[in-house]
Amino acid sequence: MTYAASSSERIGLLPALERQEALETLAVRHFKAALLMEDEEELPLDASFFDIGLTSLRLMDVKQSLEQELGLEIDSTALFNQPTVEQLVEYLSGILEARA
């Protein structure tokens, strides 16, 4: 079993609130890495991806890294329909809940 599969399965089996928290932690880590932010820096979860400094190319990098770690495909339109970290986490949580 790959790390991605076990990460996705582990998070997907968590109760809803814990799943949201685990996904938020994961997403924040990937977004901070793309933005070259330090761990202690605050990432605004309710600001749009472009307002926090992401370009379309960097956003696709984050999408791919999340897909790889979670072992699932994220529809590119979801990033524009859910344009904040907070909304993306809710979207991902729904996908994992449906898979469980």
Side-chain angles (χ1 to χ4, degrees):
M1 178 177 292
T2 66
Y3 175 75
S6 63
S7 180
S8 177
E9 289 172 4
R10 179 182 55 80
I11 292 172
L13 294 174
L14 293 172
L17 182 60
E18 291 176 34
R19 181 176 51 249
Q20 291 267 135
E21 290 172 354
L23 284 169
E24 182 178 302
T25 298
L26 181 75
V28 165
R29 182 168 42 89
H30 285 274
F31 278 96
K32 281 185 173 184
L35 293 165
L36 304 175
M37 293 175 73
E38 298 293 327
D39 287 340
E40 63 276 356
E41 289 183 80
E42 179 102 13
L43 179 70
L45 302 181
D46 58 349
S48 80
F49 299 135
F50 300 109
D51 287 344
I52 61 174
L54 283 174
T55 62
S56 296
L57 183 58
R58 284 304 224 183
L59 186 55
M60 289 303 111
D61 290 342
V62 172
K63 173 188 171 289
Q64 289 174 343
S65 65
L66 285 170
E67 287 176 330
Q68 184 175 9
E69 184 156 349
L70 291 171
L72 57 85
E73 187 174 333
I74 301 170
D75 186 346
S76 294
T77 59
L79 298 173
F80 297 99
N81 293 334
Q82 278 72 312
T84 68
V85 175
E86 185 175 66
Q87 291 173 329
L88 180 61
V89 166
E90 289 177 26
Y91 168 80
L92 294 173
S93 182
I95 290 175
L96 293 179
E97 182 178 6
R99 293 173 122 196

